[in-house]
Amino acid sequence: MIFSLFDSNEKEVKKLSKIVTQINSFEPEVQNLSEAEIKSKTKKWQEEFAELGKERKSQKLASILPEAYALVRESTKRTLGKRHYDVQLMAGVALHLGKISEQKTGEGKTLTATSPLYLNALTGDGAHLVTANDYLAKHGAGWMAPVYDYLGLKVGVVTSESSYIYDKNYNDENSDEYVRNLKPCTKKEAYSCDITYGTNHEFGFDYLRDNMVSHLTEKSQTNPLGDMGIHNFAIVDEVDFVLIDVARTPLIISAPDSKPSQRYYEAAKIVRALSRETDYEVDEKFKNSSLTDIGIRKVEKMLGVSNLYEQDFEMVHLIEQAVNAKALFEKDRDYIVKDGKVVIVDQFTGRLLVNNRFSNGLHQAIEAKENCPILEESKTLAEISYQNYFRMYQKLAGMTGTAETEAEEFRKIYKLDVVVIPTHNKIARKDNPDLVYKTEPGKFKAIADEIAKRHETGQPVLVGTTSVEKSELLHELLKRRGIKHEILNAKNHEKEASIIAQAGRLGAVTVSTNMAGRGVDILLGGDPATEEERQKVKDLGGLFVIGTERHESRRIDNQLRGRAGRQGDIGESRFYISLHDDLMRIFGGAQIEGLMNALGVDDSMPIESSMVSKSIERAQKKVEGFNFDRRKQVVEMDDVMNVHRTVIYKLRDKVLHLGYFGIGEDWLLEKLQKFGNLDISEWTRIKTKMDEKDFLLFVSGIILPIIDLNWMNHLVDMDQVRDGIGLKGYAQRDPMVEYKREGHERFEILVHKIYSEAAERISNIKDVEKVKNIENTLVEKAKYNQDDYSAFDSEEPKKSETPKTIVKDENSKVGRNDPCWCGSGKKFKNCHGK
């Protein structure tokens, strides 16, 4: 199997090499072109593409690729003084073909992306470069924008803070050289550029926001006609981080819902008195905890109830989350407390996720545990998984240094093949075997000794830790030894880029939480460095990378290792492991500890053993498989919602377009009559009181809030269906099949309700002028929060809207989660539907 995969990659590389030969053949010709002639070629191609359909555009892209790539290389030489290596062009061709190019760290992915972005932007349909954070988006765009400008294309940038457009005549003297020509602009301007750089979450959130606007002109992520045809071509940088690590978490826009229960504090107090030995069980592999029978009895005694599950079901949920908060979530590992607030720490990068909250009451439980103010809960207004957002693109590609270990997932979920691109220079890094210690203190003492030894010679050292807590433990050990060092973790991430950039300086010691998605190169000798400094560091062995434990993903370990040995540089790496590390403890460290005891190995004696290495790899593969299954489940569930979302967003978009581009109301009138029994005379009565376009905009303003409110309620209903669907398995029924069936039923009800409510509202309008003045949509009324919720939970608990009395109609179908027709305020399933 290994041979066949390798053989397949070799064949792919040979095909790409042939195309690179064609690109090189154009070099003499393009070298003689002036800037004006290069711009003229761009304009000519743009005009030709404007006349073509989708299929013919694809054919033309293939035919002009060699010349277009040669133009980009020549323009890069003239503007940046850099010439694409053949392997960078090879990777660029793979990206154009909609593949993932695996290029080792330091191989120049930023430059690689310029060629396929230029080529695909010529179609006029837009080309996106997706990054893992705002810094990479701004600096990547600012650095490469002179190339695109020289070629005659416009470049925009979208970040969480602001949007920009490249303007070589604009100069922000307070910014660094790469971004000083980025001029602030509107999001719409940034998206209307030929090429747009931005972050994964901002692209996704903008898509959701565009489907919540009350007027066509408020959309930003659209082409000039206002439809949703902008998802043409995207290259995702650090693709494994964006499409795999982050993809466990859906993109959610929420609004404040209800005041949080103060009972979270009561639950936290009760759980503090519980013992892990007798009162609750913890499954660390699956991140689950549950009360034992003894624990349940103890809780009931403290609450003064005889049966908790019958008498106080709300408290059951609060206690369960309080146990999770205590047993599974550690301060300074999973979250920190900053300014009296609980802030999530990104497991993969060590960054703070300031706007994010754990879901389903877990965040409130942690706030209670830490005695912080409990913030209000929220309800979902719009959501989409990263998988379904990025699968909207007609063509998707990706770049990373480490994709091969996840090739199966890329192929199954995204239909993306991975191509491993040869390095420009042979890798000279030495990867040492792991050293395994019996205890964690023994391991950290050995790490500190190794750092001290290397530091004494002046060799730069980069240390990767898995948590804030471990980075600060090492910080204390180094401080006691008087070793000067920089620390980069969630509590000190503001100077991230400058700290990483200088990690290769002579004598530098840098301690950092996980390096995934950081995307900044470490240059030997620092940045900038003299040739003398660079040579001194090379003579000392280059950058020495230390891993303080194995991550649950082999890929994250490889990313850390890959920080050394950039562009053929000399370098070295080693991982230090203790049998008390999470991965070892959960997945079989006890067996190895027994072996070490039998051999008489003490705290200071490490072992190097192939058995240990294989045990670690097996553990990592188990966790990777489990995480893949979790992400797959997120996709399967969201696939059902994606069908609903697509229909509703298309309907919403059609309603928004009423009165524009000659779009009339015949289709809508037909639906309102069919589903809502609309009296056509009522429609005509209102229509005669205003001109045609005003009337259609007026109707649009009436229907949009109805769509929004019912869609929001549908999200809540489907959320509740999803939470309980696992129980179907106990009845020997496939939960996924049942979820689809029930989802289909709920969606039929949703569509019926939208049209019937719209018909009813139109029929009840008496004073047209009065209604015109007060018309407003949900989007304008709500203050939105952006929340990425934890992967293994659903979203925050929702409260239903104010209950309405509904007249019972024997012929209409009442959904199980609809308010009961009797007016009790309860859901139908909990009232007359029992």
Side-chain angles (χ1 to χ4, degrees):
M1 183 64 182
I2 293 171
F3 174 77
S4 66
L5 285 172
F6 176 76
D7 190 46
S8 172
N9 194 76
E10 282 294 299
K11 285 179 181 175
E12 196 63 42
V13 167
K14 281 180 183 175
K15 286 180 191 173
L16 298 174
S17 297
K18 287 178 182 176
I19 299 173
V20 171
T21 303
Q22 293 174 27
I23 296 167
N24 290 338
S25 71
F26 278 95
E27 191 162 26
E29 182 185 325
V30 299
Q31 283 174 338
N32 295 321
L33 295 176
S34 66
E35 181 182 352
E37 287 171 325
I38 288 175
K39 281 185 164 71
S40 176
K41 272 192 174 291
T42 296
K43 190 174 181 184
K44 177 174 169 287
W45 279 333
Q46 286 174 320
E47 289 169 352
E48 288 170 356
F49 274 110
E51 303 296 320
L52 300 176
K54 181 181 171 184
E55 194 173 318
R56 290 183 63 203
K57 279 183 180 180
S58 180
Q59 293 167 355
K60 184 164 181 65
L61 285 171
S63 69
I64 68 169
L65 184 151
E67 188 177 2
Y69 276 39
L71 280 179
V72 175
R73 177 156 68 181
E74 183 60 28
S75 300
T76 307
K77 275 165 57 183
R78 296 183 193 182
T79 54
L80 303 181
K82 292 179 177 291
R83 180 182 178 276
H84 291 70
Y85 300 131
D86 282 2
V87 289
Q88 288 174 314
L89 293 177
M90 196 183 292
V93 176
L95 294 173
H96 166 70
L97 295 173
K99 299 178 186 292
I100 291 173
S101 71
E102 177 174 301
Q103 295 166 275
K104 300 303 177 192
T105 301
E107 287 292 300
K109 291 189 284 291
T110 309
L111 196 61
T112 292
T114 53
S115 306
L117 285 173
Y118 167 73
L119 177 65
N120 284 273
L122 293 171
T123 63
D125 299 321
H128 294 171
L129 192 285
V130 184
T131 68
N133 59 58
D134 288 349
Y135 173 87
L136 294 176
K138 280 183 72 174
H139 281 70
W143 186 15
M144 295 296 126
V147 179
Y148 304 123
D149 184 68
Y150 195 89
L151 287 157
L153 296 185
K154 290 181 179 177
V155 182
V157 188
V158 175
T159 72
S160 57
E161 295 173 356
S162 186
S163 299
Y164 307 88
I165 194 167
Y166 175 78
D167 182 350
K168 62 186 173 188
N169 298 315
Y170 178 80
N171 186 24
D172 182 357
E173 294 178 355
N174 297 320
S175 299
D176 67 47
E177 61 174 315
Y178 292 128
V179 298
R180 63 179 49 151
N181 298 119
L182 295 181
K183 181 181 177 182
C185 69
T186 65
K187 269 193 172 164
K188 183 171 274 192
E189 286 175 303
Y191 277 117
S192 67
C193 289
D194 302 295
I195 295 168
T196 306
Y197 282 64
T199 59
N200 55 330
H201 53 269
E202 208 59 24
F203 279 127
F205 279 130
D206 284 341
Y207 167 72
L208 292 177
R209 290 188 200 108
D210 271 5
N211 284 284
M212 298 171 75
V213 298
S214 57
H215 199 276
L216 201 57
T217 57
E218 295 168 10
K219 285 192 173 193
S220 57
Q221 199 184 76
T222 59
N223 65 26
L225 288 178
D227 62 35
M228 300 308 294
I230 197 169
H231 298 96
N232 171 48
F233 174 67
I235 297 173
V236 182
D237 193 14
E238 305 289 351
V239 66
D240 42 5
F241 173 70
V242 172
L243 296 189
I244 290 182
D245 296 340
V246 179
R248 276 187 269 180
T249 309
L251 289 155
I252 296 173
I253 292 181
S254 64
D257 182 20
S258 60
K259 289 184 178 179
S261 172
Q262 294 301 299
R263 300 186 78 196
Y264 280 107
Y265 291 119
E266 186 184 351
K269 185 178 178 182
I270 289 168
V271 168
R272 283 190 199 106
L274 299 182
S275 164
R276 180 166 177 165
E277 281 68 41
T278 58
D279 302 329
Y280 58 90
E281 296 170 341
V282 180
D283 185 340
E284 291 186 83
K285 287 183 188 180
F286 297 98
K287 288 211 168 186
N288 285 327
S289 66
S290 58
L291 291 171
T292 63
D293 288 342
I294 294 171
I296 292 168
R297 301 291 87 80
K298 191 180 282 189
V299 170
E300 287 172 343
K301 189 175 180 182
M302 284 188 272
L303 286 170
V305 296
S306 58
N307 189 321
L308 179 63
Y309 287 81
E310 284 181 2
Q311 293 170 261
D312 196 345
F313 201 73
E314 182 194 27
M315 186 52 83
V316 172
H317 173 72
L318 300 183
I319 292 288
E320 285 173 348
Q321 291 296 37
V323 172
N324 283 333
K326 179 183 178 182
L328 296 170
F329 290 82
E330 279 184 33
K331 185 179 176 182
D332 288 342
R333 184 190 73 184
D334 302 293
Y335 63 90
I336 66 166
V337 176
K338 187 177 183 181
D339 301 327
K341 292 181 181 176
V342 171
V343 184
I344 299 172
V345 175
D346 189 305
Q347 176 191 354
F348 298 98
T349 66
R351 289 193 184 91
L352 290 180
L353 303 176
V354 179
N355 295 320
N356 298 10
R357 287 176 67 76
F358 292 119
S359 61
N360 205 25
L362 175 59
H363 209 97
Q364 285 84 354
I366 295 172
E367 286 167 336
K369 168 189 167 184
E370 298 294 343
N371 275 316
C372 293
I374 295 177
L375 302 182
E376 62 189 355
E377 299 179 24
S378 59
K379 58 185 172 187
T380 301
L381 301 179
E383 66 175 328
I384 190 170
S385 67
Y386 277 102
Q387 290 93 334
N388 271 319
Y389 174 71
F390 282 108
R391 289 194 299 187
M392 287 170 57
Y393 281 89
Q394 291 176 27
K395 188 163 62 178
L396 185 65
M399 306 185 293
T400 181
T402 48
E404 211 176 2
T405 56
E406 316 291 357
E408 182 190 4
E409 182 162 352
F410 282 124
R411 193 162 45 250
K412 284 185 176 176
I413 303 295
Y414 299 100
K415 295 183 172 61
L416 286 170
D417 290 324
V418 176
V419 183
V420 181
I421 305 296
T423 55
H424 179 59
N425 293 308
K426 190 178 177 182
I427 296 174
R429 184 184 67 244
K430 181 185 177 187
D431 294 327
N432 295 298
D434 298 349
L435 290 180
V436 184
Y437 288 81
K438 197 170 170 184
T439 67
E440 193 171 70
K443 176 184 76 172
F444 273 101
K445 182 183 179 301
I447 291 170
D449 289 343
E450 186 67 37
I451 293 169
K453 186 178 84 174
R454 303 275 177 167
H455 182 63
E456 199 172 329
T457 69
Q459 183 178 10
V461 181
L462 172 69
V463 188
T465 67
T466 56
S467 68
V468 176
E469 181 189 20
K470 298 293 166 59
S471 66
E472 294 194 336
L473 168 64
L474 194 54
H475 166 63
E476 286 301 320
L477 287 173
L478 295 177
K479 204 160 74 170
R480 282 180 212 158
R481 293 172 183 239
I483 297 172
K484 187 181 175 186
H485 60 282
E486 291 280 1
I487 184 165
L488 175 61
N489 60 30
K491 291 184 176 178
N492 174 34
H493 65 100
E494 292 82 1
K495 298 183 290 182
E496 173 182 313
S498 59
I499 290 174
I500 296 172
Q502 303 310 325
R505 196 173 284 286
L506 198 67
V509 175
T510 310
V511 179
S512 172
T513 46
N514 296 328
M515 298 293 292
R518 295 204 185 271
V520 179
D521 274 350
I522 297 173
L523 307 179
L524 297 188
D527 186 16
T530 63
E531 191 52 47
E532 185 184 357
E533 266 184 300
R534 192 176 290 113
Q535 192 55 50
K536 274 185 184 175
V537 172
K538 283 184 179 179
D539 292 341
L540 289 165
L543 180 69
F544 184 67
V545 171
I546 292 176
T548 59
E549 64 186 88
R550 286 288 196 164
H551 195 274
E552 62 180 34
S553 165
R554 290 168 293 165
R555 182 169 41 80
I556 305 296
D557 291 342
N558 292 339
Q559 285 178 343
L560 176 61
R561 265 207 178 107
R563 298 296 162 179
R566 174 191 173 279
Q567 283 282 350
D569 284 340
I570 192 168
E572 198 174 347
S573 74
R574 190 188 293 275
F575 279 83
Y576 288 73
I577 294 163
S578 93
L579 299 181
H580 295 167
D581 293 347
D582 287 347
L583 191 71
M584 296 297 291
R585 184 173 48 76
I586 298 168
F587 290 96
Q591 296 172 341
I592 300 165
E593 187 168 13
L595 175 66
M596 290 177 88
N597 287 335
L599 294 172
V601 176
D602 68 24
D603 223 16
S604 62
M605 293 168 59
I607 64 166
E608 287 181 29
S609 160
S610 60
M611 186 187 87
V612 174
S613 299
K614 284 175 183 173
S615 175
I616 292 166
E617 192 167 342
R618 278 196 302 271
Q620 288 177 312
K621 283 180 178 176
K622 276 184 188 176
V623 180
E624 286 167 2
F626 173 59
N627 288 338
F628 176 31
D629 290 341
R630 275 166 57 189
R631 288 188 292 269
K632 196 171 169 218
Q633 190 176 36
V634 169
V635 177
E636 287 174 349
M637 289 288 190
D638 193 57
D639 280 347
V640 176
M641 286 305 297
N642 204 44
V643 175
H644 302 183
R645 185 188 302 112
T646 302
V647 173
I648 292 299
Y649 282 3
K650 278 184 178 175
L651 168 62
R652 201 181 188 285
D653 218 43
K654 218 170 173 185
V655 171
L656 266 181
H657 277 75
L658 285 172
Y660 289 91
F661 315 117
I663 293 178
E665 81 273 23
D666 289 351
W667 65 273
L668 179 60
L669 191 53
E670 183 186 328
K671 298 282 188 186
L672 293 173
Q673 286 177 291
K674 180 181 176 182
F675 291 103
N677 298 317
L678 178 70
D679 184 347
I680 193 112
S681 63
E682 291 294 325
W683 184 269
T684 308
R685 175 179 63 82
I686 300 167
K687 188 173 181 178
T688 55
K689 297 191 177 182
M690 56 187 87
D691 69 50
E692 176 124 2
K693 185 167 182 179
D694 284 348
F695 167 71
L696 292 175
L697 291 174
F698 173 66
V699 169
S700 174
I702 288 173
I703 296 177
L704 285 176
I706 293 169
I707 295 174
D708 290 339
L709 191 58
N710 279 288
W711 173 242
M712 184 174 68
N713 290 337
H714 181 69
L715 289 175
V716 173
D717 283 348
M718 288 301 292
D719 201 24
Q720 291 168 344
V721 172
R722 184 169 57 211
D723 284 348
I725 207 69
L727 298 173
K728 299 284 185 182
Y730 292 111
Q732 306 299 312
R733 286 148 78 183
D734 186 331
M736 201 63 227
V737 171
E738 292 300 305
Y739 182 69
K740 287 177 181 176
R741 183 190 60 75
E742 197 151 347
H744 180 70
E745 289 177 5
R746 301 297 303 139
F747 188 67
E748 282 187 331
I749 294 167
L750 168 69
V751 173
H752 189 279
K753 282 178 77 175
I754 287 171
Y755 287 117
S756 59
E757 284 180 21
E760 183 183 9
R761 185 152 182 214
I762 288 167
S763 298
N764 288 330
I765 291 173
K766 304 302 177 191
D767 189 332
V768 174
E769 290 302 316
K770 187 177 179 183
V771 176
K772 276 168 68 179
N773 291 333
I774 62 169
E775 200 57 59
N776 207 350
T777 70
L778 180 71
V779 180
E780 293 166 316
K781 283 188 266 187
K783 180 183 177 184
Y784 296 126
N785 300 321
Q786 298 170 8
D787 292 330
D788 291 277
Y789 287 117
S790 175
F792 43 83
D793 290 294
S794 57
E795 300 72 56
E796 292 290 321
K798 284 83 172 183
K799 304 291 181 185
S800 59
E801 299 296 314
T802 305
K804 297 176 184 175
T805 301
I806 300 171
V807 178
K808 184 178 180 184
D809 177 359
E810 295 293 341
N811 297 317
S812 67
K813 183 174 181 181
V814 180
R816 61 196 291 276
N817 288 308
D818 281 342
C820 189
W821 49 263
C822 72
S824 66
K826 295 180 182 178
K827 292 196 174 193
F828 177 68
K829 65 183 180 185
N830 295 327
C831 194
H832 280 76
K834 270 189 175 180

